Amino acid sequence: MATTVAKVLIDPRSRLIIYSNAGPPPPILLSPDGSCRLLDQATDPPLGARPEHVPRPQAGLSYSREDILVLYTDGLIERRGEDIDIGLARLIDALARSGTLPVEELADGLLYHIGVADGGQDDIALVVVRL
């Protein structure tokens, strides 16, 4: 048995995001200028995929006020018969175009622009946080 999880700690004093990712696609940090940074420097296999206990990697990334953190499951970007990098690029493009919206509208807009507003073939979880 295995499961995927992303762990994210946001430290508002130091304006640092500390994270570790065990399996899901990388969270994305969207800046007000539309640029996106992937939180992909601390990735590891899903929980339960390794028999021995080994400390998981952890990384940090600084952020600015008004940046937006996006966490999501693979169901948001994965399509059968399509490379997952294409779906990730689709999400990044949608974020760059919609990043100035309020977070509630941004989440709905992402689902619409990615083509899953009415649901997808896999489960979808999406968390959008303005920092």
Side-chain angles (χ1 to χ4, degrees), residues 56-67:
R56 299 242 172 220
Q58 180 174 288
L61 180 67
S62 62
Y63 70 89
S64 300
R65 288 193 51 141
E66 298 302 311
D67 281 355

Side-chain angles (χ1 to χ4, degrees), residues 17-74:
I17 298 170
I18 310 282
Y19 66 95
S20 183
N21 194 359
I28 300 172
L29 187 64
L30 171 66
S31 297
D33 66 4
S35 63
C36 293
R37 293 183 281 172
L38 299 178
L39 280 69
D40 63 356
Q41 298 302 304
T43 59
D44 216 21
L47 300 178
R50 297 184 294 179
E52 71 281 349
H53 177 73
V54 176
R56 299 242 172 220
Q58 180 174 288
L61 180 67
S62 62
Y63 70 89
S64 300
R65 288 193 51 141
E66 298 302 311
D67 281 355
I68 295 173
L69 180 63
V70 179
L71 296 104
Y72 55 97
T73 57
D74 59 356

Side-chain angles (χ1 to χ4, degrees), residues 2-115:
T3 189
T4 62
V5 65
K7 175 184 165 190
V8 177
L9 171 74
I10 300 168
D11 183 346
R13 278 195 221 145
S14 65
R15 297 227 172 126
L16 189 64
I17 298 170
I18 310 282
Y19 66 95
S20 183
N21 194 359
I28 300 172
L29 187 64
L30 171 66
S31 297
D33 66 4
S35 63
C36 293
R37 293 183 281 172
L38 299 178
L39 280 69
D40 63 356
Q41 298 302 304
T43 59
D44 216 21
L47 300 178
R50 297 184 294 179
E52 71 281 349
H53 177 73
V54 176
R56 299 242 172 220
Q58 180 174 288
L61 180 67
S62 62
Y63 70 89
S64 300
R65 288 193 51 141
E66 298 302 311
D67 281 355
I68 295 173
L69 180 63
V70 179
L71 296 104
Y72 55 97
T73 57
D74 59 356
L76 183 66
I77 62 172
E78 245 178 11
R79 304 290 180 274
R80 287 191 181 129
E82 178 181 86
D83 188 281
I84 196 166
D85 289 336
I86 294 171
L88 183 57
R90 185 182 303 115
L91 174 58
I92 290 170
D93 180 59
L95 279 168
R97 289 184 293 157
S98 307
T100 58
L101 296 172
V103 291
E104 298 84 3
E105 293 176 31
L106 176 58
D108 290 339
L110 289 176
L111 295 174
Y112 173 78
H113 288 297
I114 293 173

